[in-house]
Structure formats: C-alpha cells, structure tokens
Amino acid sequence: MSSSTHIPDTGDALMRLAQVIESRKPANGGDAAASYVARLLSKGPDAFLKKIGEEATEVVMAAKDADHGGDKSKIVYEVADLWFHSMIALAHYGLTPADVVTELVRREGISGIEEKALRKAEVREGQELRKEPTP
C-alpha cells in the first residue's frame, strides 16, 4: 500500500474535504438528517470530540495489532478516520487544515525536544507575567 510511486496531492484533497465539511455545517444549510457531518456538528463539540477520542484509540489498537503481525493498512484506515473527525473539529472552531500545515511548517527544522522546551518556557513566562507583584 505505502510502496505506491504515485503520491496524491494531499493539500488539494484536504482542501476539498474541508470545503465539504464547511458546507455541511448547520449554519451553512447542512441537514442533520442527511449528513453525518451535519449530525455530528449539530450535536455540539461533545459528539465530535468523543469520536476523535474513539478514533485515536483505534489508531493505537491498529498499530499494536500491526506490531504483532496484523494488517498495517488498518493503521492508514484508522488514521484517515482520525483526520476526518479532527477536520470536523477544526471546522467547528473556524480553523482549516491549512492552519495545521502552517503550524507544521513553523516547526520544520526545530527539534521536537527544543520545541517542547520552548513551549514550556512560554508557559512559565505567561505565568510569571500574570503574577501580582508583592509589596
């Protein structure tokens, strides 16, 4: 499956999916009776956040199964479900896949260890700025 020489344009595919999800928002006329996306969005964040948790767990289970001889393609299937439901959350909060890609590009070339340390330092700075001065 992953040995394919043709790599699809993921940006275009994600953009098209994001547009479909956007069109299914109840505010844009999405019909909860006819659309899974509209139904999830109409139920509010708890519904799609629960699905994200379920799909993340299924990714972990598929990967663990693959570690023990299971079908690796199930990981791809489950990650696709996770991405899809994550895109519903992005749309709900007025965000897009492009926002995620922008963040990934920002992190490009930064060690994960450095990036995590920088985030911790920023949190500490924010906490120190919020502290009231002592007399």
Side-chain angles (χ1 to χ4, degrees):
M1 182 172 203
S2 63
S3 61
S4 171
T5 57
H6 175 264
I7 299 173
D9 186 337
T10 55
D12 283 350
L14 291 174
M15 184 183 72
R16 286 191 307 273
L17 180 55
Q19 290 170 340
V20 169
I21 291 169
E22 189 67 28
S23 75
R24 304 285 166 79
K25 284 180 164 182
N28 294 334
D31 179 4
S35 165
Y36 173 73
V37 171
R39 187 174 329 128
L40 270 182
L41 288 168
S42 70
K43 291 180 179 180
D46 284 349
F48 58 78
L49 295 175
K50 179 181 177 187
K51 285 300 296 180
I52 291 170
E54 290 171 4
E55 298 304 341
T57 299
E58 290 175 11
V59 169
V60 171
M61 291 175 12
K64 296 298 271 179
D65 286 348
D67 284 340
H68 299 284
D71 183 358
K72 291 179 189 176
S73 68
K74 289 184 180 179
I75 299 169
V76 172
Y77 179 86
E78 297 302 345
V79 169
D81 284 349
L82 177 59
W83 285 14
F84 174 76
H85 289 90
S86 294
M87 288 177 66
I88 292 171
L90 288 171
H92 174 80
Y93 293 108
L95 301 166
T96 67
D99 296 317
V100 177
V101 171
T102 297
E103 176 60 15
L104 291 171
V105 168
R106 184 192 69 78
R107 296 179 187 188
E108 194 172 4
I110 300 174
S111 148
I113 294 169
E114 287 175 41
E115 201 274 335
K116 188 173 180 178
L118 179 61
R119 278 188 282 146
K120 283 184 177 181
E122 288 171 350
V123 167
R124 276 194 305 275
E125 255 180 50
Q127 289 170 343
E128 289 173 8
L129 290 174
R130 286 191 301 267
K131 287 183 183 175
E132 291 185 30
T134 54

